[in-house]
Amino acid sequence: MQFAKRPWGFWLTLYKGKHFKIKLIRFKIGKSLSLQRHEYRSELWVFLSGKGVMLNAGAVHKGDYAFIQQGAWHKFIAGANTWVLEIQYGEKCEEIDIERK
């Protein structure tokens, strides 16, 4: 398992296959993910708790999900402490596949 602490919280890889990865992400209230996109993968975010605003999806709450198409810009701003299950799938599911703005 891979773990990484970030200014906005942390993430933990739960499982990784050849063309997919499952991560658990924790966002701190008021913190945000950078505006980013991925060249080689799409993502499905399932909001397990908390709330916030997702660029291009609007307000999200516990029980909501957001689909992030490969190449689409996305950003999340946490309105509360938030847990997200992230499912990545595509040609490459590597951390280096991040373009930030």
Side-chain angles (χ1 to χ4, degrees):
M1 275 197 269
Q2 193 176 15
F3 173 84
K5 198 170 182 182
R6 297 289 189 256
W8 45 259
F10 67 86
W11 58 261
L12 173 70
T13 298
L14 301 176
Y15 191 82
K16 183 177 180 191
K18 185 173 181 179
H19 296 287
F20 71 96
K21 184 189 291 186
I22 301 170
K23 289 169 59 173
L24 184 62
I25 305 173
R26 168 76 159 155
F27 291 97
K28 297 177 193 174
I29 186 170
K31 300 294 183 176
S32 67
L33 187 69
S34 62
L35 181 60
Q36 58 185 252
R37 69 180 174 181
H38 311 289
E39 184 177 351
Y40 299 103
R41 70 175 187 255
S42 296
E43 298 176 348
L44 175 65
W45 285 29
V46 179
F47 292 86
L48 304 175
S49 71
K51 63 182 180 177
V53 176
M54 188 84 174
L55 181 70
N56 297 332
V60 290
H61 303 86
K62 174 184 171 183
D64 289 343
Y65 62 89
F67 176 69
I68 302 155
Q69 182 69 41
Q70 180 178 335
W73 289 103
H74 59 286
K75 179 177 183 170
F76 176 69
I77 304 164
N81 290 326
T82 303
W83 287 95
V84 173
L85 184 68
E86 178 186 87
I87 302 167
Q88 304 175 0
Y89 59 93
E91 186 180 332
K92 295 180 189 176
C93 295
E94 303 295 334
E95 293 309 310
I96 60 170
D97 181 25
I98 298 177
E99 178 186 348
R100 291 185 172 89
K101 236 182 187 183

